[in-house]
Amino acid sequence: MEKNPEKLVITKGDIEKEPTRGDAGKVYSKVKEYPKVEYTSDAIPGKKQQLLSSRNIMQYTIAGLIGGFIAWMITEIFWGEHRNLGRNALADMALCGGVLTAIISGAISCSEAIVTKSSEKVVKDGATGLGVGFVGGLIGGFCGQVLYSSLGGGKSQTIGLQIFARTVGWGLLGVFVGIAQGIIVKSLKKLKNTTLGGLIGGMVGGFLFDPIGMIIGGGTISRFVAIPVLGTAIGYTISVVEEMNKSAWLQIIKGPMIGKQFILYKEETSIGSSPKNDIPILKDPGITPRHAIIKRSGNASTITNISGQLVFVNGNSITSSRLRNNSQIQLGNTMLLYSEKVIPNK
C-alpha cells in the first residue's frame, strides 16, 4: 500500500493478501482514517474494465434478431407470396414497412426494461418503440418504394440498382428504430448515437437482402433469413455506436445484474429500487426507491446521496462526492464501478 497523509492507494496485491480475497470493501473498512482512498484498475473485483460492453451489445443484437423473426412471421402473412402490388403498391409497401419497423423497434426498445425486470417500463418503452417505428416505417417503406419504382423496378431493373434502392429504403427504417431509443431516454446524445447506428444497420440489412435471396433462391425462405438479419444488424450497430461514443458509464460489479452496464447520458441520472429510476436495481433490499443521483457537468460527475441509507464511494461514506475514473460506489449490497473514457495524450 502506498501511504501519505492525504490518500491511501490500494493495489491488486494488497487485496489478494486479505483473508477475504477480492473484496476491496474489506480493505477499505480498515483505513477509514484516510480522507481519500483510491485503488489501481487491477484491484477492481470481478471482470476487468472494458470499453465495449459485450453484454449490452449482445442484448440489443438478440432483441433485434427476435424482433426481426416476429416481423417476418407477421409481414409474411399479409405481404408474402400472394401480396398485391398493383395500383396500391406505395400504400402496400408503406404499411408493410410500418409494421416491420414497429416490431423490430418495439423489441429493441423494451429489451433494457426486460433485462432490468422493470415491468412498467417494458410496456411504456415497448409502446414508444412500436409507435415511433410504425410512423418511421411508413415513411421508409413509402420512400423506398418510390425510389425502387423510379429506378425501373421489377425485372427491368439491374441487380445493382435494386440493391441500392433497398439499401436506402431500409436505411430509413433503421433510422426510426434508432430515434425511438433516443426518445425513450430523452437524451439528444443518445438520439444521435442510436440514429446513426440504426441507419448503418438498416443499410447493411438492405444491402444483404437481395444477395441472400440470390443465394437461397428467393421467396419465403429468403425473407425468413433476410428480415431477421435486418433486425440483428440494426440492434448490433445501434449498440456498437453507443459503446464507441460513450464518455461515462456505470457497471455493476457486485450484486443483482452483475456485469450489467449503464451509459450516463443525462445531466441527472437517478439510481434506486423503483423501476422509474434511470438505473433501477430491483432485488437489493438495502437500496431505497430513490437512493442516489449522479449529475454530469461537462466531463465531471458527482454522486449525491438522497436516501436515509448510506452511500459509499471507495469505501468512504459520503453525502456528495466527485467521481473519478475507477471510482467504486456501494449502495446496499450492490457495488458499481464508475468509468470514464480516457483520451490518451498526443
Side-chain angles (χ1 to χ4, degrees):
M1 296 184 187
E2 178 187 331
K3 300 180 181 180
N4 63 50
E6 298 295 328
K7 179 174 65 177
L8 177 70
V9 178
I10 298 172
T11 67
K12 181 180 179 181
D14 298 322
I15 293 175
E16 291 180 342
K17 292 175 184 177
E18 293 297 309
T20 52
R21 179 170 299 185
D23 188 351
K26 298 295 183 180
V27 177
Y28 297 136
S29 66
K30 298 179 182 180
V31 290
K32 292 181 179 179
E33 66 271 19
Y34 289 89
K36 293 183 180 180
V37 180
E38 295 182 3
Y39 56 94
T40 60
S41 59
D42 63 353
I44 300 167
K47 296 182 179 180
K48 291 185 178 180
Q49 178 184 346
Q50 296 179 347
L51 180 60
L52 299 183
S53 169
S54 58
R55 178 165 176 167
N56 281 11
I57 293 173
M58 185 68 67
Q59 171 190 317
Y60 279 91
T61 302
I62 292 175
L65 172 61
I66 293 172
F69 179 69
I70 297 173
W72 167 79
M73 288 194 296
I74 294 176
T75 56
E76 193 65 26
I77 294 173
F78 298 100
W79 295 278
E81 295 296 331
H82 305 292
R83 67 186 185 276
N84 179 15
L85 294 178
R87 290 181 302 172
N88 296 318
L90 285 176
D92 208 26
M93 283 299 93
L95 187 57
C96 179
V99 172
L100 186 152
T101 311
I103 296 171
I104 294 175
S105 177
I108 293 175
S109 297
C110 68
S111 64
E112 182 75 6
I114 291 173
V115 168
T116 57
K117 296 181 173 59
S118 304
S119 56
E120 295 178 18
K121 295 188 71 175
V122 168
V123 176
K124 181 181 177 181
D125 294 354
T128 300
L130 286 169
V132 175
F134 181 72
V135 173
L138 288 175
I139 297 171
F142 179 85
C143 293
Q145 184 62 29
V146 169
L147 179 61
Y148 181 78
S149 300
S150 67
L151 293 175
K155 295 180 181 179
S156 63
Q157 187 183 59
T158 65
I159 185 63
L161 289 176
Q162 187 167 316
I163 291 174
F164 173 75
R166 205 179 305 273
T167 299
V168 174
W170 284 23
L172 288 174
L173 305 185
V175 163
F176 284 92
V177 176
I179 288 175
Q181 314 315 307
I183 291 175
I184 288 170
V185 175
K186 300 177 182 177
S187 165
L188 181 60
K189 183 176 180 181
K190 183 177 178 73
L191 178 65
K192 292 178 180 178
N193 290 339
T194 55
T195 300
L196 175 60
L199 172 64
I200 295 171
M203 292 181 71
V204 169
F207 180 80
L208 294 176
F209 184 91
D210 290 293
I212 288 173
M214 294 170 63
I215 294 171
I216 297 178
T220 299
I221 299 300
S222 173
R223 291 187 291 274
F224 168 74
V225 175
I227 293 177
V229 165
L230 170 67
T232 302
I234 291 174
Y236 176 80
T237 52
I238 283 177
S239 61
V240 169
V241 171
E242 272 201 285
E243 290 292 319
M244 292 179 65
N245 290 310
K246 66 189 179 184
S247 56
W249 62 97
L250 291 175
Q251 182 176 356
I252 297 178
I253 57 175
K254 179 182 177 183
M257 300 186 297
I258 186 169
K260 175 62 182 169
Q261 186 185 104
F262 300 91
I263 299 174
L264 301 179
Y265 277 116
K266 302 168 71 174
E267 290 184 0
E268 182 174 303
T269 300
S270 61
I271 309 173
S273 61
S274 169
K276 295 181 180 180
N277 288 285
D278 300 302
I279 301 178
I281 304 175
L282 307 181
K283 292 187 177 182
D284 188 333
I287 296 180
T288 62
R290 189 171 166 86
H291 202 110
I293 57 172
I294 294 178
K295 292 184 178 181
R296 293 275 294 165
S297 178
N299 294 323
S301 296
T302 302
I303 185 169
T304 301
N305 183 357
I306 57 173
S307 72
Q309 304 298 317
L310 295 175
V311 174
F312 295 91
V313 174
N314 293 337
N316 302 309
S317 177
I318 61 96
T319 300
S320 182
S321 175
R322 167 77 182 272
L323 296 173
R324 303 185 186 279
N325 196 32
N326 290 333
S327 288
Q328 193 178 55
I329 304 164
Q330 182 156 356
L331 315 172
N333 297 314
T334 299
M335 201 171 288
L336 304 100
L337 178 68
Y338 171 81
S339 299
E340 296 175 346
K341 181 181 287 185
V342 178
I343 301 175
N345 296 323
K346 295 184 178 180

